Amino acid sequence: MSLRLRLTILYSALTGGILLVFGMLIFFLVSVLLVNQVDNILTAAAREVLGRVRFNTYGRLSLSEFLRSDLMAGVSVLLLNEQGEIEYDSTFILDPETPFETNNLQKRRQEFSSVYIEGFHLRVLNIPLKVGARQVGTLQLAYNTSNLSATRQALLQVIIIAALTSTLVAAAASWLSLDRALSPLAAVTETAMQITHADDLSRRIPLEGLANDEIGRLVAAFNETLERLERLFNSQQRFLADVSHELRTPLTVIKGNVALMRKIGVTDTDLLAGIEEESDRLTRLVVNLLLEAQAESGKLPLHFAALELDTLLLEVLNEMRVLARDRVRLRITEIDQVLVNGDRDRLEQVFINLISNAIKYTPAGGTVFIGLAKVGENARVIVRDTGVGISKKDLPHIFERFYRAEKSRSRAVDSGFGLGLSISQWIITHHGGRIEVNSVEGKGTTFLIYLPLLKAETASPAGQAA
Ligand code: ADP
């Protein structure tokens, strides 16, 4: 059963049910009030009559004076003797041969009852007449409630018809409004199916005309998911193309060098160096891919221990001097003694990645500044360069897997694979820290890493903040 049909049935059943319950309540309330009113009339009339009832020495019952019809307000009176025979009858209603009712004749208390005789609905008040302790007869007063019964009947019909009509109206209204409200969902389904069938992630569900309600937000969220999926899908495709290219280039060089050496029949050191360089590049690619896959599947183990970050950073800097040679200057701006809880090898990898990127993307004569300080409860590492910078377009994406800025993609020789920053970010966030970047194209780039200090290391925020 469709959601639309289910909701329509639910709404209309609720509307009809609620109306019916309220209608019934009103019906019973009105009935009770009407009966009460009639009972009051009967009680008032009984008072009038009781004052006039006489019991003579022959044991007969009679009334001392006539009953005035204005006082009786439509109430009929029967006086019955001990045997239940009629002694007096003022009835305007019935053929006066039988009592209004016989069930309560023997009762010793006055009783109200409702009876239906000869086509009339009567409300009857039965009052035992006593002389001393002896019951000498019964006074019966009756009020014709046939009109009231007809009114109640009509009320009941109105209630049932109103409940049925509103159920139908509610059903029609729900059916139509749900069609409007749920139609975007049909669009979502259709788009999802189209995407599946046509393998086309670029489709979006139009947001125009949709209210900012649950469905509008669902569609917006769905579009965002598609956007992300499309980006991811594109970057993976690009990555596959890149990896194939990256693999092919060094393999071609290696194969070419080997072929050349075979041809000339001697082992040439330059050709061997070329083979070694390309093999190193291949190894780097494979290692990075493996790391990325492990991080992605959550299987990259981190071995935490107390770690002197300043010592580690200085070690990395010494390694990096080889890479920088005389081309780029490496400067330390400040270096505090800092203890963190971290995985030495992984953090070393992060620093190598950031500093080698800084060197790589800084033209000859530029400078890379490195600093380590305590800031509040964190250690802050700054790697700033005076290099090519990152464009505004690329900046939001550089931590994405396989993302490489257009400029760096063309740098065939020492370009990376767009994996370093995404792995670095994974490592830093899994240390409870964060990594930030600021960059101005053509001026330079600054990477900031914040890592929580070891508890005993936490400096007073005012003291060390730089
Ligand atoms: P890669 O191995 O390609 O350098 P990364 O993940 O380390 O991959 O970096 C992603 C991209 O971010 C790089 O391709 C480059 O375009 C850009 N990038 C990173 N660091 C810098 C920097 N210091 N200066 C300019 N661009 C940078």
Side-chain angles (χ1 to χ4, degrees), residues 4 9 25-26 71 115 133 141 146 169 209 234-236 249 259 283 306 315 317 336 338 357 368 392-393 450:
R4 186 183 177 193
I9 293 177
L25 273 177
I26 290 172
L71 289 174
V115 294
L141 300 104
S146 296
V169 172
N234 287 344
S235 75
Q236 301 237 13
T249 316
T283 310
E315 277 175 27
L317 261 174
D336 276 357
V338 171
N357 271 352
V368 174
K392 279 207 172 66
K393 183 173 120 319
Y450 292 90

Side-chain angles (χ1 to χ4, degrees), residues 353 357 360-361 385 390 398 403-405 408 416-418 420-421 445:
N353 181 241
N357 271 352
K360 195 158 70 180
Y361 297 113
D385 63 57
I390 304 166
I398 56 163
Y403 193 90
R404 296 186 301 170
S408 22
F417 315 107
L421 283 180
T445 307

Side-chain angles (χ1 to χ4, degrees), residues 270-385:
D270 283 349
L271 292 176
L272 274 181
I275 292 174
E276 199 173 12
E277 203 174 284
E278 294 305 330
S279 307
D280 285 348
R281 185 165 166 75
L282 280 178
T283 310
R284 270 205 328 275
L285 172 62
V286 172
V287 166
N288 271 331
L289 282 176
L290 199 65
L291 274 177
E292 182 65 39
Q294 281 180 320
E296 200 181 335
S297 61
K299 286 185 189 140
L300 183 61
L302 292 176
H303 306 288
F304 288 97
L307 177 67
E308 288 175 2
L309 211 57
D310 44 311
T311 315
L312 177 65
L313 197 60
L314 288 174
E315 277 175 27
V316 173
L317 261 174
N318 278 336
E319 285 173 38
M320 289 294 111
R321 285 191 200 286
V322 182
L323 188 69
R325 297 190 300 268
D326 297 332
R327 199 177 67 82
V328 175
R329 278 188 301 276
L330 289 185
R331 286 262 171 81
I332 298 175
T333 50
E334 56 181 333
I335 191 138
D336 276 357
Q337 282 194 326
V338 171
L339 266 184
V340 297
N341 187 26
D343 183 320
R344 191 185 186 288
D345 291 345
R346 296 289 161 241
L347 289 179
E348 180 180 16
Q349 186 185 349
V350 172
F351 295 150
I352 289 178
N353 181 241
L354 289 194
I355 299 171
S356 66
N357 271 352
I359 294 170
K360 195 158 70 180
Y361 297 113
T362 300
T367 313
V368 174
F369 299 94
I370 290 129
L372 167 64
K374 292 179 191 169
V375 177
E377 298 188 345
N378 286 310
R380 185 188 61 191
V381 180
I382 300 183
V383 178
R384 180 165 70 84
D385 63 57

